[in-house]
């Protein structure tokens, strides 16, 4: 049973990391190459779509890692799993405090109502997102190392 939990946890966290990596290094570059109105509308749509899914994914990943840490407490690598969980918790805190407030504004913008500093706000979101991606990549690396 523990092996199945480890596989599910690794896959769920790994796919989440992959999606966030793709947002940072693929989707943002694609959207930022578009004309301003299309760029802004694309970011707003992505913010609405991913803003609905990612909270569940982040919390679900954290819960899976916590369950693995508790159920495998006496197994090798649990310290790394706990550290991975702490990093995932940090990513949730970063999301709530830094990224979600910007995303909540961005997802309501249109070319007609966006603020004059919309590009600066999106750039700020992207910088915070790069930091969050680094944190979750580190968490995933620790998790995979612990479960290998």
């Amino acid at each position: 049973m523990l092996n199945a939990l480890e596989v599910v946890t690794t896959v769920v966290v790994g796919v989440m990391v992959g999606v966030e990596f793709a947002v940072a290094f693929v989707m943002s570059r694609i959207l930022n190459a578009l004309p301003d109105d299309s760029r802004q509308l694309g970011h707003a749509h992505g913010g609405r779509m991913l803003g609905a899914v990612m909270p569940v994914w982040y919390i679900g990943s954290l819960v899976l890692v916590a369950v693995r840490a508790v159920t495998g407490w006496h197994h090798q690598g649990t310290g790394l799993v706990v550290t991975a969980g702490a990093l995932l918790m940090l990513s949730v805190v970063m999301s709530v405090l830094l990224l979600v407030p910007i995303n909540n504004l961005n997802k309501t913008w249109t070319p007609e109502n966006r603020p004059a500093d919309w590009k600066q706000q999106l750039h700020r979101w992207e910088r915070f997102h790069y930091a969050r991606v680094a944190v979750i990549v580190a968490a995933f690396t620790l998790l995979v190392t612990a479960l290998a």
Side-chain angles (χ1 to χ4, degrees), residues 46-70:
R48 286 188 300 274
M49 190 178 85
L50 291 173
V53 173
M54 296 315 287
V56 174
W57 212 338
Y58 271 80
I59 298 300
S61 294
L62 181 58
V63 168
L64 284 169
V65 169
V67 169
R68 166 44 185 89
V70 170

Side-chain angles (χ1 to χ4, degrees), residues 1-143:
M1 185 68 169
L2 187 61
N3 286 341
L5 174 61
E6 290 173 346
V7 168
V8 169
T9 301
T10 302
V11 169
V12 169
V13 174
V15 173
M16 179 187 75
V17 169
V19 167
E20 292 291 37
F21 187 90
V23 166
F25 297 102
V26 178
M27 291 309 302
S28 287
R29 291 176 188 211
I30 291 170
L31 292 173
N32 290 341
L34 295 173
D36 281 353
D37 288 355
S38 297
R39 171 186 179 188
Q40 185 268 303
L41 288 169
H43 278 287
H45 180 66
R48 286 188 300 274
M49 190 178 85
L50 291 173
V53 173
M54 296 315 287
V56 174
W57 212 338
Y58 271 80
I59 298 300
S61 294
L62 181 58
V63 168
L64 284 169
V65 169
V67 169
R68 166 44 185 89
V70 170
T71 59
W73 190 253
H74 298 292
H75 289 80
Q76 183 178 2
T78 299
L80 294 175
V81 174
V82 170
T83 305
L87 288 173
L88 290 176
M89 176 60 81
L90 174 61
S91 75
V92 170
V93 170
M94 290 172 71
S95 297
V96 170
L97 295 179
L98 303 173
L99 290 114
V100 168
I102 297 168
N103 190 57
N104 284 343
L105 295 172
N106 168 55
K107 66 186 184 181
T108 66
W109 295 338
T110 66
E112 294 78 29
N113 74 358
R114 66 185 178 218
D117 69 339
W118 70 275
K119 287 181 187 178
Q120 291 80 7
Q121 290 191 51
L122 287 179
H123 183 65
R124 189 167 152 238
W125 184 92
E126 287 172 347
R127 286 192 323 265
F128 290 145
H129 184 65
Y130 290 139
R132 180 175 61 181
V133 168
V135 169
I136 64 175
V137 165
F140 182 63
T141 302
L142 291 172
L143 183 64

